[in-house]
Amino acid sequence: MSAPTLFIVIPCYNEEEVLPITAPMFLNKLLSLVHEGKIADASRIMFVNDGSRDRTWEIISELSRSDEHYIGISQSRNRGHQNAVLAGLMEARGKCDITISVDCDGQDDINAMGKMVDAYADGCDVVYGVRSSRETDTFFKRSTAQGFYKFLSLMGAEVVYNHADYRLISARALDALSEFHEVNLFLRGMVPLVGFKSTSVEYSRSERIAGESKYPLKKMIALAVDGITSLSVKPLRMIMSFGLTVALISFIGVIWAIVAAICGDTVAGWASTTCIVCFVGGVQLICMGIIGEYVGKIYMETKARPRYIISAKTWEDGSK
């Protein structure tokens, strides 16, 4: 059996500081896997420029001219991390046997790639890179990240704990993923839905080599909302359950009020009435907001807009 062709898919957004440092690291790892006979020499490192405003695309173009193992594509505008990863995977589809998606910042241990390829050779179509610990994170980052995964699981989204977007996907699993046409992307939840044999590889995550993180708390919250609303209807069911509970309490309150009125034991209660009205009004607004989030997702899905648009490639005829 011949060695598989690997495409390493790396999304990049304003990474001019870190790219010159991590690109040689990825190349050295790719060549070492080729030397070990685990992958074919036709394997490539595909950078995906996500509408960067700095020199990221110029650096990618320079890298592609310096070594044939570097290739790159550029989106017409910034579409977000998940869309950038999907763009790279779909462009790699049909050109390779396996893909490994990994961030550009050098935090994910690239030595885990060898273990991923070994797991593929053992018959796994999907191999998840899972963090063994979060010792390098600040207390706030560690707490919010762990809460992120637990909250997703609580809301019914099927995710792999402590797994981000560092994973290996085989060609047939990638073909199956291409059948998912969601506009609101959450790959961490979509890939497990593909099925096929899977496993996990643990690795230690380092601090960012250079530049600033592209995933602050605001984007993490937005990602969590996308994940929940894209993969689960549990919040809607929670609204219904909560509504039934409030209705039951209200019904008991009505009975109590009628009994109190008959017994002539009524007391004017402006404050309690105001509190109840404000509480119910607040609950209604929250419920409407959650329902509106789902309606908005439906609105975007029905438009069926393209999830990414490639404006440039570092190759013309697809020979790479």
Side-chain angles (χ1 to χ4, degrees):
M1 182 179 177
S2 59
T5 300
L6 165 67
F7 268 46
I8 302 176
V9 177
I10 307 173
C12 305
Y13 176 63
N14 293 341
E15 300 288 6
E16 65 176 2
E17 295 182 30
V18 73
L19 194 54
I21 302 173
T22 56
M25 295 169 54
F26 289 121
L27 180 60
N28 290 336
K29 185 59 185 178
L30 185 81
L31 295 179
S32 69
L33 292 174
V34 172
H35 181 72
E36 294 170 11
K38 292 186 177 183
I39 61 175
D41 188 57
S43 299
R44 296 290 183 263
I45 301 170
M46 177 186 286
F47 295 105
V48 183
N49 177 43
D50 187 23
S52 300
R53 297 188 298 269
D54 59 7
R55 294 189 63 255
T56 296
W57 178 241
E58 286 77 3
I59 295 173
I60 293 173
S61 299
E62 292 169 3
L63 288 170
S64 67
R65 290 191 291 268
S66 68
D67 192 293
E68 65 176 359
H69 292 97
Y70 291 123
I71 60 176
I73 59 176
S74 182
Q75 295 203 92
S76 60
R77 61 180 292 272
N78 176 251
R79 297 297 300 270
H81 180 268
Q82 297 293 282
N83 295 74
V85 174
L86 182 71
L89 293 177
M90 292 300 105
E91 285 294 314
R93 179 172 169 249
K95 300 181 179 67
C96 61
D97 300 303
I98 49 177
T99 62
I100 293 180
S101 57
V102 62
D103 288 340
C104 180
D105 53 22
Q107 289 187 276
D108 297 319
D109 184 10
I110 59 176
N111 292 318
M113 291 184 182
K115 297 178 181 179
M116 290 181 176
V117 175
D118 290 339
Y120 167 76
D122 289 337
C124 292
D125 287 284
V126 180
V127 184
Y128 301 101
V130 176
R131 295 183 60 169
S132 56
S133 67
R134 288 186 172 271
E135 296 178 355
T136 58
D137 289 345
T138 63
F139 174 78
F140 178 76
K141 175 66 175 177
R142 181 167 59 252
S143 300
T144 54
Q146 291 175 341
F148 169 77
Y149 289 104
K150 292 178 180 178
F151 185 65
L152 285 175
S153 297
L154 180 65
M155 290 294 103
E158 183 180 348
V159 293
V160 178
Y161 187 72
N162 268 344
H163 163 70
D165 287 291
Y166 188 19
R167 70 178 75 86
L168 177 148
I169 304 179
S170 70
R172 72 167 182 166
L174 199 57
D175 288 339
L177 182 63
S178 69
E179 297 298 319
F180 288 67
H181 302 295
E182 287 98 326
V183 174
N184 302 284
L185 296 175
F186 186 68
L187 295 175
R188 302 179 197 184
M190 290 169 61
V191 174
L193 295 177
V194 170
F196 297 117
K197 184 178 179 181
S198 65
T199 189
S200 298
V201 170
E202 290 191 348
Y203 70 95
S204 298
R205 188 172 170 89
S206 308
E207 295 183 0
R208 187 180 177 89
I209 294 177
E212 297 180 353
S213 173
K214 303 304 184 296
Y215 252 104
L217 179 61
K218 181 180 178 181
K219 286 191 175 181
M220 186 67 73
I221 294 174
L223 184 65
V225 172
D226 282 340
I228 294 167
T229 55
S230 297
L231 299 170
S232 173
V233 295
K234 192 170 183 178
L236 294 177
R237 291 173 180 167
M238 290 175 65
I239 289 175
M240 182 177 66
S241 299
F242 186 71
L244 291 173
T245 302
V246 172
L248 178 61
I249 295 174
S250 300
F251 180 71
I252 294 174
V254 169
I255 295 176
W256 172 81
I258 293 173
V259 172
I262 294 174
C263 295
D265 193 25
T266 57
V267 179
W270 176 86
S272 60
T273 302
T274 302
C275 291
I276 293 172
V277 171
C278 291
F279 172 74
V280 174
V283 169
Q284 288 176 333
L285 289 175
I286 293 173
C287 294
M288 288 177 63
I290 295 175
I291 295 172
E293 185 70 29
Y294 278 92
V295 173
K297 288 290 192 300
I298 295 171
Y299 174 70
M300 295 304 298
E301 293 290 345
T302 55
K303 285 180 175 294
R305 290 173 176 169
R307 296 174 292 182
Y308 62 89
I309 298 175
I310 304 301
S311 60
K313 300 180 180 179
T314 57
W315 72 95
E316 295 297 333
D317 57 0
S319 59
K320 288 188 178 182

